[in-house]
Amino acid sequence: MHTDYEVVDDARFKGWQSQVLNYINTTLTASNHYYTGLKSALNGAYPSTVDKGISLLESLMEDIEKGIFVEIKQSTKPLLILEHIFDTFHKVAVQLRRRYNDRATLDVTDEYDVQDLLHALLKMHFEDIQQEEWTPGYAGSSSRIDFALREFKMVIEVKKTRSSLKHKHVADQLIIDIERYRNHPLCQTLICFVYDPDGYINNPRGFENDLNREREGMKVIVIVRPK
């Protein structure tokens, strides 16, 4: 059994302490209660201190897994913000249906609804969100960009599955979209958000891995939610 008088290796503790606080500080805001709690708890090279730190980190992981809102620095981690939005998108869509006295709401039934809700969520974190820009023609056709984050040279392409747009058809569309964006000056990172509330995508993780790639200066990230 440990006591507060026992100590752990001081050099290793300080290295671990520095890594933990630096990661939390660069991922969350400095005022976040997890950061302030860890900074206060990690105040000495004692086993009990390490135990407190591990407990706080476990709580943080549980909150992230539950989709509880976590403050994230926009300036350094735009992709983390987007991942959090996508991870919680379905919960938000479901909650919107549960209005008091059955009041009018946004029921996410098609791709335009997905775009409307996603646009609102993006506005909570990003100021410069571009729409309505046309990508260069490919195979005799052109396509509009759903969302472009100019500051980060990121483009978001939105898909919603349905009975007539399942696994193979979505994959085929995304392959064409990826080729369209390959030489687009705004697009260093293409994020393809596939909203699949009815489970039409077989093996979402495999679907993502098959399409994720990085080549010719463009990174492609496919995110299927929920899964």
Side-chain angles (χ1 to χ4, degrees), residues 106-142:
L106 172 63
D107 194 7
V108 181
T109 59
D110 59 29
E111 203 163 283
Y112 292 110
D113 294 332
V114 176
Q115 291 177 10
D116 287 342
L117 178 54
L118 182 58
H119 197 181
L121 295 173
L122 289 171
K123 279 184 171 292
M124 294 173 60
H125 302 279
F126 302 98
E127 294 183 1
D128 186 9
I129 305 169
Q130 301 291 323
Q131 289 183 287
E132 308 298 328
E133 294 194 25
W134 293 85
T135 62
Y138 173 75
S141 64
S142 297

Side-chain angles (χ1 to χ4, degrees), residues 200-219:
Y200 287 119
I201 301 297
N202 303 321
N203 183 14
R205 181 70 68 189
F207 182 90
E208 293 171 342
N209 291 337
D210 287 345
L211 292 167
N212 288 343
R213 63 192 66 178
E214 186 168 3
R215 67 180 185 185
E216 298 180 13
M218 186 180 79
K219 184 174 185 178

Side-chain angles (χ1 to χ4, degrees), residues 114-120 122 129-132 144-150 154-158 181 190-191:
V114 176
Q115 291 177 10
D116 287 342
L117 178 54
L118 182 58
H119 197 181
L122 289 171
I129 305 169
Q130 301 291 323
Q131 289 183 287
E132 308 298 328
R144 284 184 296 180
I145 294 175
D146 290 332
F147 303 103
L149 305 178
R150 285 178 174 271
M154 288 181 170
V155 167
I156 302 170
E157 183 72 19
V158 175
Y181 286 111
L190 173 62
I191 301 170

Side-chain angles (χ1 to χ4, degrees), residues 168-183:
K168 183 181 184 304
H169 293 98
V170 175
D172 290 343
Q173 286 189 10
L174 289 179
I175 289 170
I176 293 172
D177 291 336
I178 290 167
E179 189 62 28
R180 277 197 180 109
Y181 286 111
R182 190 163 52 85
N183 296 314

Side-chain angles (χ1 to χ4, degrees), residues 57-171:
L57 289 172
E58 288 174 343
S59 296
L60 172 59
M61 290 174 63
E62 288 177 6
D63 279 357
I64 292 173
E65 289 171 357
K66 290 175 183 176
I68 295 174
F69 178 75
V70 177
E71 297 173 75
I72 304 172
K73 288 185 176 179
Q74 173 183 335
S75 60
T76 56
K77 299 292 181 181
L79 187 54
L80 283 178
I81 295 173
L82 293 173
E83 288 175 346
H84 179 69
I85 290 173
F86 299 141
D87 287 345
T88 57
F89 184 91
H90 184 61
K91 292 180 181 179
V92 175
V94 171
Q95 184 60 42
L96 282 174
R97 299 176 193 156
R98 301 170 180 167
R99 292 210 61 202
Y100 172 76
N101 203 27
D102 294 326
R103 295 187 178 190
T105 187
L106 172 63
D107 194 7
V108 181
T109 59
D110 59 29
E111 203 163 283
Y112 292 110
D113 294 332
V114 176
Q115 291 177 10
D116 287 342
L117 178 54
L118 182 58
H119 197 181
L121 295 173
L122 289 171
K123 279 184 171 292
M124 294 173 60
H125 302 279
F126 302 98
E127 294 183 1
D128 186 9
I129 305 169
Q130 301 291 323
Q131 289 183 287
E132 308 298 328
E133 294 194 25
W134 293 85
T135 62
Y138 173 75
S141 64
S142 297
S143 176
R144 284 184 296 180
I145 294 175
D146 290 332
F147 303 103
L149 305 178
R150 285 178 174 271
E151 181 181 358
F152 306 105
K153 292 193 174 180
M154 288 181 170
V155 167
I156 302 170
E157 183 72 19
V158 175
K159 303 291 181 187
K160 183 188 180 298
T161 59
R162 55 184 184 272
S163 59
S164 59
L165 189 66
K166 298 182 181 180
H167 187 111
K168 183 181 184 304
H169 293 98
V170 175

